[in-house]
Amino acid sequence: MKEILDAILNPDSTSADFAGLALPESYRAVTLHKDEEQMFAGQASRDKDPRKSLHLDEVPLPELGPGEALVAVMASSVNYNTVWSSIYEPVSTFGFLERYGRLSPLTKRHDLPYHVLGSDLAGVVLRTGAGVNAWKPGDEVVAHCLSVELESPDGHNDTMMDPEQRIWGFETNFGGLAQIALVKTNQLLPKPKHLTWEEAASPGLVNSTAYRQLVSQNGAGMKQGDNVLIWGASGGLGSYATQYALAGGATPICVVSSEAKADICRAMGAEAIIDRSAEGYRFWKDDNNQDPREWKRLGGKIREFTGGEDVDIVFEHPGRETFGASVYVTRKGGTIVTCASTSGFMHQYDNRYLWMSLKRIVGSHFANYREAFEANRLVAKGKIHPTLSKVYTLEETGQAALDVHHNKHQGKVGVLCLAPQEGLGVRDAELREKHLPAINRFRNI
Ligand SMILES: NC(=O)c1ccc[n+]([C@@H]2O[C@H](COP(=O)([O-])OP(=O)(O)OC[C@H]3O[C@@H](n4cnc5c(N)ncnc54)[C@H](OP(=O)(O)O)[C@@H]3O)[C@@H](O)[C@H]2O)c1
């Protein structure tokens, strides 16, 4: 591993140098253990502690298949799917690996008694498999997390429609929270040159998801002038949705739960901010009944910011807790676009407000390769910025996941993998200098 790191840190290393490096037989990785699937049985979600389920193990290097790459991972990040995996909710991810393993002898590699997690990475290509022409050893890359087989016609208009669509490092093995990762090369994207490894590793999953959900025609297709209600506007997804709304000439109405988070939204350029804790919204009277007066109170608050207008789009992901309110506050003909149900997936809303006002609910999930490319391109051009707030070591991944689980974090949380320290990997210092305050917005809190 030392030779690999030395080659990455040496600015004179060539592609041939990387191709000539011997690969280690094993590497360090953050794993779940299949024989611990039941470890949290009977506990409340909040009490399930990722520090207990996430291990740092030495695991064998997987065999490289056609169309794949082994990547030396300098940095990765914690996504909410790391939290779901680590608390074995809503299901154990080992079921995903077993199902994938039944597809072919090659996918059988993924079905192991351990699961290497992680759906983001920034690093350097070490080896490419048969049939790969677009990437070579030594390329500095980030990876998006869409894994597809594309053997069916269904995915050829939009790869998210592939029946064998999976999220790498969640529904597949050999993820990015490790010293080395295995990816398909159609997951690779050029690393934004003005960012450090840990900054570059942080946008991937959430940035691509927010791009499809809000901007793409496959999602809400946001346009200039739209009012966009963004739940969790300083969180992983929301911090990108807020940036997209601002960069696209829309007006974000940011919902957050503290004054510190409101300050971050202001730092991004948002003006309309609702502190849901200070307002004390209680959309549910009890476990089964919502309170429409509270929906109305939220709608009234939104109108104070918009001069009486309702929102064109709601950027939804909290789910059960907020969905009834989201459907209510959307304007006639508007769109509720959802990609998650953090607070519960059995939603309840008053359908009269949907059909009588011709609203649409749109489901959105991650992004296809082109959408992930567009989202990464905007980061590389300095138009959308990383929202990295804190960086942990690979050993500390459990703590990092706990922070996200308990909503103690801001924006994104990074993890150093092979990178010995923060701040390395910048290749375009001039572009970085130009955007430094924006890059550090989430750090200064
Ligand atoms: N389908 C996909 O492709 C995809 C991709 C990425 C993420 N996701 C899912 O989307 C969800 C959010 O991910 P994330 O990375 O943005 O997580 P995150 O960093 O934890 O941010 C979510 C934010 O939502 C707000 N929130 C949480 N519970 C809420 C509630 N009950 N009511 C109102 N607001 C609430 C919180 O902000 P405040 O406390 O400030 O309000 C929180 O910071 C997760 O369930 C994740 O698995 C799905």
Side-chain angles (χ1 to χ4, degrees), residues 220-228 245 248-253 311-313 331:
M222 183 190 78
K223 63 181 193 319
Q224 291 183 30
D226 279 352
N227 293 317
V228 184
T251 301
I253 293 112
V311 292
D312 299 273
I313 300 170
R331 73 178 271 260

Side-chain angles (χ1 to χ4, degrees), residues 51-336:
R51 292 174 302 183
K52 294 188 178 145
S53 54
L54 295 176
H55 303 276
L56 185 58
D57 291 333
E58 190 77 22
V59 298
L61 194 69
E63 184 194 333
L64 180 65
E68 295 178 343
L70 286 165
V71 181
V73 185
M74 293 299 273
S76 182
S77 84
V78 170
N79 284 297
Y80 214 93
N81 71 9
T82 319
V83 176
W84 292 127
S85 307
S86 68
I87 62 173
Y88 294 103
E89 283 194 22
V91 291
S92 161
T93 53
F94 287 99
F96 300 144
L97 303 184
E98 286 165 20
R99 206 165 313 131
Y100 192 27
R102 286 196 286 271
L103 192 65
S104 74
L106 206 62
T107 63
K108 182 76 186 142
R109 290 169 303 168
H110 292 257
D111 182 13
L112 294 167
Y114 59 86
H115 188 180
V116 180
L117 303 178
S119 300
D120 275 320
L121 72 73
V124 180
V125 175
L126 294 173
R127 288 283 194 283
T128 54
V132 175
N133 305 303
W135 303 95
K136 58 181 189 319
D139 285 345
E140 297 191 345
V141 294
V142 292
H144 71 78
C145 62
L146 173 63
S147 168
V148 282
E149 309 300 318
L150 287 182
E151 291 187 296
S152 147
D154 296 6
H156 282 262
N157 270 347
D158 174 9
T159 48
M160 282 304 297
M161 299 298 176
D162 188 50
E164 298 295 339
Q165 176 271 320
R166 291 179 172 80
I167 299 298
W168 161 71
F170 178 58
E171 294 164 294
T172 80
N173 218 322
F174 316 122
L177 287 163
Q179 293 175 319
I180 295 180
L182 181 76
V183 296
K184 293 181 192 286
T185 51
N186 59 19
Q187 288 176 244
L188 296 177
L189 300 160
K191 171 186 167 289
K193 292 185 189 320
H194 65 302
L195 299 181
T196 64
W197 296 110
E198 60 279 7
E199 289 162 358
S202 66
L205 184 148
V206 283
N207 183 31
S208 307
T209 306
Y211 181 88
R212 180 180 175 112
Q213 191 176 347
L214 191 57
V215 180
S216 168
Q217 289 304 320
N218 288 318
M222 183 190 78
K223 63 181 193 319
Q224 291 183 30
D226 279 352
N227 293 317
V228 184
L229 182 75
I230 302 172
W231 292 104
S234 72
L237 287 169
S239 58
Y240 289 91
T242 301
Q243 293 188 68
Y244 280 118
L246 289 164
T251 301
I253 293 112
C254 297
V255 186
V256 291
S257 63
S258 71
E259 196 45 38
K261 290 183 174 189
D263 282 345
I264 295 177
C265 294
R266 281 185 203 103
M268 284 190 283
E271 291 170 3
I273 299 161
I274 299 174
D275 181 340
R276 67 181 171 102
S277 300
E279 294 291 333
Y281 294 116
R282 289 201 55 195
F283 300 129
W284 288 82
K285 284 189 279 199
D286 54 49
D287 283 353
N288 300 312
N289 297 291
Q290 297 192 57
D291 186 350
R293 287 171 309 180
E294 286 293 89
W295 303 345
K296 204 167 180 180
R297 188 157 75 88
L298 174 68
K301 188 80 193 165
I302 292 169
R303 287 180 181 174
E304 283 177 23
F305 288 112
T306 57
E309 294 176 348
D310 295 328
V311 292
D312 299 273
I313 300 170
V314 179
F315 186 84
E316 245 294 337
H317 51 90
R320 184 172 172 82
E321 186 83 25
T322 55
F323 207 82
S326 293
V327 170
Y328 179 82
V329 300
T330 304
R331 73 178 271 260
K332 196 165 186 170
T335 304
I336 303 99

